[in-house]
């Protein structure tokens, strides 16, 4: 009997997990118009498949409508193609559901356009690790470490390209069995869609090669972590770059400066959405080349927000290459939700006319809390509980989102915290390695 071709309609949810339903491929036209059934309480499923206290109970019906622009169909090593589409969760009347992560990002991007008259160009860099002991030790950035997984790396890059994602580079990273994959930028929601697809194809390519890839924020609290770096720039209505100004601080235009200042001001209150796991806070510590303070850096990989270097020489090329990088994120976060939080924070800076501070050029961990406060810096939350407290108690931040979002998100994450509450740190790391 010949297997029936199926398409998986998917959403990336609050847990950063891709969930959904499959339908016969021959029904595609119908499903593009009518979607597949979904229920509100699904949003409460945490990364360990527990369900947080839900305000919806067993009530309500929604639709998950696939978006053909996200269609991904890849076969690995002769296996049946993996065929899926990301989609939007809507009401039965076809209106965006308030807790749909793609809808939340679209709302943030619309606000950016209203406030600044610009469109966002962004790209997500990902670090991941292969589970199990390394075949060769001491291979940070090593050629041998890369060659051991050349087939996997080449297969993944080909899969990304076949899915309409521009592969940039891939390398053996510093940590044990750690790799980094970089893709080209895309506009608006597409960039977050690409981030979701990249994670799914990485896991699939690894399985096809007999490996197990994990994007967990950290596998061992004594070792390195896996981050997600979000690069951002802006173009105007005609597609002209407006991120760069040769006379601006660190080359930032006035709009970029205000956007950056907003991110830095609200970073302690949005990190619960960009680094949203219990183990995220084992990684966000000083001297890990991650992020620990709400500081701006100029080519500084310890900063939470970094002005990136460019290799171009002529002014027009510099303007197109110039970007800023948000570093306080990881792959426990839904890319759509994380980017929505970052954009809202930046837009708040534009609306309030903020100006970016000078970049730091010192070890902030050596300064006392009083000195940090005098200079406008703040240590980022050191636990998910603390991060959620910062988020839920900042009315400016919670007001960026629909009315019920903050309480639903808080309950979702509270259930996740409770799930690991009695475990030792390494046991918690092991659990997250299994789920991400």
């Amino acid at each position: 009997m010949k297997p029936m071709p199926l398409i998986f309609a998917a959403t990336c949810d609050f847990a950063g997990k891709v969930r959904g339903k499959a339908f016969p491929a021959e029904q595609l036209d119908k499903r593009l118009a009518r979607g597949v059934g979904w229920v509100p309480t699904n949003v409460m499923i945490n990364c360990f498949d527990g369900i947080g206290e839900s305000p919806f109970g067993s009530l309500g019906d929604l639709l998950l409508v696939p978006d053909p622009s996200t269609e991904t169909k890849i076969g690995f090593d002769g296996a049946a193609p993996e065929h899926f589409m990301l989609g939007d969760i809507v009401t039965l009347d076809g209106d965006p559901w308030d807790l749909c992560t793609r809808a939340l990002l679209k709302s943030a991007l619309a606000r950016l356009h209203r406030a600044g008259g610009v469109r966002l160009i962004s790209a997500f860099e990902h670090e991941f690790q292969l589970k199990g002991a390394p075949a060769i030790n001491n291979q940070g950035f090593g050629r041998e470490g890369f060659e051991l997984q050349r087939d996997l790396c080449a297969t993944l890059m080909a899969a990304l390209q076949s899915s309409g994602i521009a592969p940039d580079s891939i390398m053996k990273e510093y940590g044990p069995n750690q790799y980094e994959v970089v893709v080209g930028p895309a506009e608006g929601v597409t960039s977050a869609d690409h981030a979701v697809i990249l994670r799914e194809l990485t896991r699939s390519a690894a399985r096809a090669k007999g490996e197990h890839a994990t994007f967990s924020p950290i596998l061992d609290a004594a070792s390195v972590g896996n981050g997600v770096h979000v690069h951002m720039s802006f173009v105007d209505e005609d597609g002209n770059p407006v991120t760069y100004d040769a006379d601006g601080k660190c080359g930032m235009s006035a709009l970029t400066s205000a956007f950056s200042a907003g991110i830095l001001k609200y970073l302690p209150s949005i990190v619960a959405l960009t680094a949203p796991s219990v183990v995220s806070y084992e990684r966000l510590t000083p001297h890990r080349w991650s992020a620990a303070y709400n500081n701006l850096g100029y080519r500084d990989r310890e900063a939470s927000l970094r002005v990136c270097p460019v290799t171009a020489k002529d002014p027009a090329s510099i303007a197109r290459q110039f970007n800023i990088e948000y570093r306080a994120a990881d792959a426990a976060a839904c890319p759509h939700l994380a980017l929505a939080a970052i954009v809202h924070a930046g837009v708040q800076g534009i609306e309030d006319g903020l100006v970016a501070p000078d970049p730091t050029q010192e070890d902030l961990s050596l300064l006392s809390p009083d000195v940090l406060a005098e200079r406008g810096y703040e240590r980022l939350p050191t636990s998910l509980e603390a991060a959620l407290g910062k988020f839920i108690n900042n009315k400016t931040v919670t007001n960026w989102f629909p009315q019920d979002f903050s309480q639903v998100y808080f309950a979702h994450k509270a259930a996740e915290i409770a799930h690991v509450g009695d475990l030792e740190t390494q046991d918690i790391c092991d659990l997250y390695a299994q789920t991400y």
Side-chain angles (χ1 to χ4, degrees):
M1 180 171 59
K2 185 177 181 180
M4 175 180 289
L6 301 174
I7 301 174
F8 191 85
T11 180
C12 186
D13 64 12
F14 286 5
K17 304 282 280 186
V18 176
R19 310 183 199 266
K21 284 185 178 180
F23 58 86
E26 64 186 18
Q27 297 179 6
L28 177 58
D29 289 343
K30 180 177 75 172
R31 299 301 182 178
L32 291 176
R34 295 168 49 189
V36 296
W38 204 242
V39 296
T41 287
N42 283 356
V43 77
M44 301 306 301
I45 303 174
N46 64 39
C47 67
F48 303 116
D49 278 2
I51 298 180
E53 186 176 343
S54 173
F56 310 109
S58 61
L59 301 177
D61 287 285
L62 299 165
L63 298 171
L64 173 54
V65 182
D67 180 346
S69 72
T70 69
E71 184 174 16
T72 302
K73 187 177 182 180
I74 300 292
F76 292 97
D77 291 350
E82 300 186 6
H83 195 178
F84 64 92
M85 297 181 186
L86 303 180
D88 298 290
I89 303 174
V90 301
T91 68
L92 297 184
D93 293 327
D95 298 320
W97 187 45
D98 280 349
L99 302 180
C100 170
T101 55
R102 280 184 106 223
L104 291 167
L105 177 54
K106 290 175 183 178
S107 177
L109 293 170
R111 182 185 174 203
L112 171 64
H113 188 263
R114 292 193 302 271
V118 296
R119 304 192 305 272
L120 181 72
I121 307 296
S122 62
F124 290 68
E125 291 180 359
H126 286 84
E127 294 166 337
F128 66 92
Q129 285 173 275
L130 302 177
K131 294 181 68 175
I136 301 178
N137 292 316
N138 308 319
Q139 279 296 305
F141 310 108
R143 188 197 67 83
E144 277 192 285
F146 172 78
E147 294 297 347
L148 283 171
Q149 297 297 340
R150 173 181 283 273
D151 191 25
L152 168 56
C153 292
T155 298
L156 172 58
M157 296 295 258
L160 293 172
Q161 187 171 57
S162 295
S163 301
I165 301 172
D168 180 281
S169 59
I170 191 166
M171 69 174 181
K172 170 67 183 70
E173 251 284 1
Y174 176 72
N177 275 344
Q178 186 182 42
Y179 294 80
E180 181 183 66
V181 57
V182 181
V183 297
E187 183 178 320
V189 177
T190 301
S191 174
D193 291 340
H194 285 178
V196 175
I197 294 168
L198 180 150
R199 297 176 192 180
E200 295 303 295
L201 292 182
T202 301
R203 296 186 186 100
S204 296
R207 282 194 300 271
K209 301 302 177 182
E211 302 283 357
H212 184 138
T214 177
F215 288 87
S216 180
I218 197 163
L219 304 190
D220 177 355
S223 187
V224 301
N226 296 303
V228 171
H229 305 150
V230 186
H231 292 259
M232 296 170 287
S233 62
F234 311 99
V235 295
D236 63 18
E237 294 289 2
D238 297 320
N240 300 310
V242 292
T243 319
Y244 176 72
D245 182 343
D247 296 324
K249 184 181 298 181
C250 301
M252 292 187 291
S253 67
L255 180 136
T256 305
S257 174
F259 188 88
S260 298
I263 291 174
L264 295 171
K265 179 176 180 178
Y266 294 102
L267 204 157
S269 297
I270 67 170
V271 73
L273 286 79
T274 66
S277 78
V278 173
V279 293
S280 296
Y281 298 85
E282 299 292 337
R283 188 183 78 88
L284 296 181
T285 58
H287 311 142
R288 282 189 184 273
W289 285 30
S290 57
Y293 300 88
N294 61 333
N295 63 314
L296 177 70
Y298 185 59
R299 305 178 182 176
D300 178 4
R301 287 175 170 83
E302 275 280 307
S304 292
L305 190 69
R306 182 173 81 113
V307 178
C308 297
V310 297
T311 57
K313 302 300 181 185
D314 64 282
S317 297
I318 292 172
R320 291 206 170 273
Q321 200 178 98
F322 189 85
N323 69 91
I324 56 174
E325 176 189 27
Y326 182 92
R327 297 177 59 79
D330 59 50
C334 167
H336 303 91
L337 186 53
L339 190 56
I342 296 166
V343 169
H344 275 303
V347 175
Q348 193 70 48
I350 294 172
E351 293 174 348
D352 293 345
L354 302 183
V355 177
D358 291 331
T360 56
Q361 294 183 319
E362 60 192 302
D363 185 351
L364 297 183
S365 70
L366 300 178
L367 304 181
S368 70
D370 289 341
V371 172
L372 287 170
E374 288 174 7
R375 296 175 57 180
Y377 302 125
E378 183 177 343
R379 176 70 168 91
L380 297 184
T382 57
S383 69
L384 181 55
E385 294 96 326
L388 287 169
K390 286 280 190 182
F391 166 69
I392 202 75
N393 290 309
N394 191 322
K395 297 306 177 187
T396 298
V397 172
T398 58
N399 285 339
W400 297 336
F401 300 96
Q403 182 176 359
D404 295 332
F405 173 83
S406 59
Q407 292 299 330
V408 170
Y409 186 79
F410 187 92
H412 178 282
K413 288 298 169 182
E416 179 179 333
I417 293 169
H419 186 91
V420 300
D422 297 328
L423 301 179
E424 298 295 327
T425 299
Q426 188 55 55
D427 294 329
I428 297 173
C429 288
D430 291 344
L431 272 182
Y432 277 101
Q434 294 169 18
T435 196
Y436 287 113

